[in-house]
């Protein structure tokens, strides 16, 4: 990358990087809080994910940082291992394993995620983002920003009853003003062209000024500190020194540390591959990320993050979505967001601590809506039930369980439909033809797998003695040995016993020797490829 490309990339991607920084800041803090880790560990993970992973990865849209999907693992791991320092050693191990996965080209697994499942995952996360931000928009901040599971203990109506009985009018005013600014920036062409002044930044500044106005006038609308961004403010050299936590390298001799590291590596890699697929779909230029390189980048990121006291990381849909929606054109925006996290946390945390969570909620609610907009649901509805049902199942499962379980359920339903389709299309022969005539043709489909064996076996079983059967494989490109053996047994044994004439069409020469013997009732009419 030459100097001209670098400067061009910075000018085009500074505004998106700024937006992602504003979104990522509370996410990093919230996930650290929910993980039972030091607050700054989430920020460190975000900085490394932005700068290091952003530099190595060739994904143009994806943004890496601490992952909500790992919070449950982190909480239990820190408790089980006893110290955060031992957990950091597990993070080092996870990074090493991810590097190995990248070198053995395990990233290709992402090619097997269907588009309807990926879109369902995005829509489900969009719904969660909106619902999770409603409390912050209303001034009831009982939950943390980064959680991507809506109902941790099942569906609980008290979540909503507490929410609507504890609203704060000042937070609502800030949310509405911020939302109005964001919608204006999105819909007024002249404002959208001001790339260096993103709507999210204007909304954040407006939120800060509005709340400061409430505070200076002694208004009851003033938003208290628990509803603002919270960052540690180092004041001495010792404070800065305490920001860094070093792993306990003696943990390499602890088998339990290795188990935790392997678990983090597997879950983080799967989440990253899912989010990379989603991010590539969010890229307006439809560029394709090298997933093997991405696993290597994530591994290096986790190694560095763990060495200096940061949480494990993955590619994250929320930040990536905000990045795409803000108009990012290259990975420079992810790098810029990491640099801004570093600079601001060190130099001006006291200013960042003035940002109301309500104004950040407004930004994320619009991001969530764009992920789960009704047009997406209608698109899959019009594509038929085989596309819509796995999509909808993924959406619901992501909302009511978590990302990995939701995608797993969507994949399972998609596979069931594929298997069902293969079994139905093993051959083309109606039941009426089989029952009403002694001379019929079984025309095999283009691909005949072991899944089709039961259907073909049932049909052959119902062939009446003395019949003439043509098995046509002229249009078949693949047929499994299981089915070949079934045809062989039918033609060489039962056909002779019941005087059934079998005529094979389209079977290649090698199969003549396999399926027929000198005394069989098989006639080969012409050769084909199977």
């Amino acid at each position: 990358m030459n100097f001209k490309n670098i400067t061009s990339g910075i000018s085009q991607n500074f505004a998106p990087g700024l937006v992602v920084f504003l979104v990522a800041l509370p996410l990093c803090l919230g996930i650290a809080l929910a993980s039972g880790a030091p607050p700054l560990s989430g920020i460190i993970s975000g900085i490394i994910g932005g700068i290091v992973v952003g530099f190595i990865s060739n994904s143009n849209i994806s943004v890496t940082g601490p992952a909500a999907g790992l919070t449950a693992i982190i909480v239990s791991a820190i408790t089980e291992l006893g110290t955060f320092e031992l957990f950091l050693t597990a993070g080092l191990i996870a990074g090493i394993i991810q590097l190995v996965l990248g070198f053995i080209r395990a990233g290709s697994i992402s090619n097997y995620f269907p588009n309807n499942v990926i879109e369902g995952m995005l829509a489900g996360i969009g719904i969660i983002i909106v619902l999770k931000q409603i409390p912050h928009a209303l001034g009831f901040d009982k939950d943390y920003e980064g959680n991507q599971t809506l109902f941790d203990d099942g569906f609980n109506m008290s979540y909503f009853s507490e929410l609507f009985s504890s609203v704060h009018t000042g937070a609502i005013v800030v949310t509405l003003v911020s939302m109005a600014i964001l919608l204006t920036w999105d819909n007024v062409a002249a404002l959208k062209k001001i790339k260096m002044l993103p709507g999210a930044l204007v909304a954040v500044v407006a939120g800060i000024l509005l709340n400061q106005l409430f505070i200076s006038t002694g208004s009851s609308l003033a938003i208290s500190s628990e509803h603002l961004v919270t960052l540690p403010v180092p004041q001495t050299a010792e404070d800065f020194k305490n920001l860094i936590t070093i792993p306990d390298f003696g943990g390499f001799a602890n088998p339990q540390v290795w188990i935790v590291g392997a678990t983090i590596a597997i879950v983080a890699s799967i989440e990253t591959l899912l989010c990379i697929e989603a991010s590539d779909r969010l890229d307006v230029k439809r560029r394709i990320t090298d997933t093997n390189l991405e696993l290597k980048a994530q591994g290096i990121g986790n190694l560095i993050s763990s060495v200096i006291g940061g949480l494990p990381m993955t590619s994250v849909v929320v930040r990536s979505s905000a990045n795409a929606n803000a108009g990012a054109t290259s990975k420079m925006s992810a790098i810029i967001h990491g640099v801004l996290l570093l600079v601001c946390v060190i130099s001006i945390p006291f200013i960042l601590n003035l940002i109301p969570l309500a104004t950040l909620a407004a930004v994320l609610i619009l991001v969530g809506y764009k992920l789960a907009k009704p047009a997406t649901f209608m698109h899959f509805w019009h594509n038929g039930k085989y596309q819509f049902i796995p999509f909808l199942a993924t959406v619901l499962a992501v909302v009511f369980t978590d990302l990995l379980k939701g995608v797993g359920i969507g994949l399972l339903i998609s596979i069931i439909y594929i298997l069902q389709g293969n079994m139905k299309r093993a051959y083309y022969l109606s039941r009426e033809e089989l029952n009403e005539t002694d001379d019929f043709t079984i025309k095999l489909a283009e691909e005949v797998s072991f899944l089709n064996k039961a259907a073909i076996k049932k049909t052959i079983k119902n062939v009446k003695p003395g019949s003439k059967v043509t098995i046509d494989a002229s249009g078949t490109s693949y047929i499994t040995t299981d089915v070949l053996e079934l045809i062989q047994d039918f033609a060489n044994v039962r056909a002779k016993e019941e005087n059934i004439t079998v005529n094979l069409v389209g079977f290649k020469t090698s199969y003549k020797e396999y399926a027929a013997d000198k005394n069989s009732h098989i006639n080969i009419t012409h050769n084909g490829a199977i």
Side-chain angles (χ1 to χ4, degrees), residues 4 19 258-259 360 448:
K4 183 178 180 181
V19 171
W258 281 88
I259 293 173
L360 296 175
V448 182

Side-chain angles (χ1 to χ4, degrees), residues 89-163:
T89 306
L92 281 172
I93 293 169
I96 294 169
I97 293 173
Q98 284 188 301
L99 269 174
V100 172
L101 291 174
F103 280 110
I104 65 173
R105 307 188 67 80
S108 59
I109 191 176
S110 64
N111 296 325
Y112 299 97
F113 299 134
N115 287 341
N116 55 353
V117 173
I118 296 298
E119 292 287 351
M121 178 191 77
L122 286 172
I125 290 175
I127 292 171
I128 291 174
I129 290 171
V130 172
L131 294 177
K132 281 291 187 179
Q133 294 309 312
I134 290 175
H136 303 297
L138 300 180
F140 176 62
D141 300 347
K142 186 178 180 180
D143 200 2
Y144 67 98
E145 295 282 346
N147 189 359
Q148 289 179 0
T149 303
L150 182 58
F151 303 111
D152 300 320
D153 301 313
F155 188 83
N156 188 355
M157 286 303 296
S158 65
Y159 174 89
F160 295 100
S161 61
E162 286 185 69
L163 169 62

Side-chain angles (χ1 to χ4, degrees), residues 37 48 116 207 260 263 273 277 318 320 331 393 415 454 467:
I48 301 302
N116 55 353
V260 171
T263 303
L273 293 176
E277 283 294 305
V318 176
S320 302
K331 61 181 183 178
I415 291 170
S467 299

Side-chain angles (χ1 to χ4, degrees), residues 291-368:
T291 50
N292 296 308
L293 177 60
E294 185 66 30
L295 287 179
K296 296 174 187 176
Q298 297 287 333
I300 293 171
N302 276 320
L303 281 170
I304 296 174
S305 178
S306 298
V307 166
I308 59 176
L311 291 178
M313 64 188 70
T314 73
S315 173
V316 187
V317 174
V318 176
R319 273 157 271 195
S320 302
S321 303
N323 194 32
N325 289 330
T329 60
S330 76
K331 61 181 183 178
M332 185 60 70
S333 61
I335 297 173
I336 289 170
H337 120 273
V339 172
L340 289 175
L341 279 174
L342 175 62
V343 171
C344 292
V345 166
I346 292 175
S347 60
I348 55 169
F350 53 91
I351 294 179
L352 299 179
N353 287 345
L354 299 176
I355 301 175
L357 291 177
T359 196
L360 296 175
V363 174
L364 288 169
I365 285 172
L366 285 184
V367 169

Side-chain angles (χ1 to χ4, degrees), residues 457-527:
K457 187 175 184 179
K458 183 177 180 180
T459 299
I460 290 176
K461 178 183 177 182
N462 292 327
V463 173
K464 293 178 287 188
S467 299
K468 182 179 179 181
V469 181
T470 298
I471 302 178
D472 185 358
S474 58
T476 303
S477 60
Y478 168 78
I479 183 169
T480 182
T481 302
D482 291 13
V483 175
L484 290 177
E485 290 177 349
L486 180 65
I487 294 172
Q488 180 191 34
D489 292 341
F490 169 65
N492 291 336
V493 181
R494 185 174 159 224
K496 287 192 289 185
E497 293 176 356
E498 300 183 2
N499 196 34
I500 299 171
T501 299
V502 181
N503 182 35
L504 297 185
V505 176
F507 289 82
K508 62 186 179 181
T509 304
S510 60
Y511 181 61
K512 291 181 189 178
E513 301 169 359
Y514 179 78
D517 63 27
K518 293 179 181 179
N519 300 315
S520 74
H521 288 203
I522 299 179
N523 299 314
I524 307 290
T525 58
H526 70 277
N527 296 326

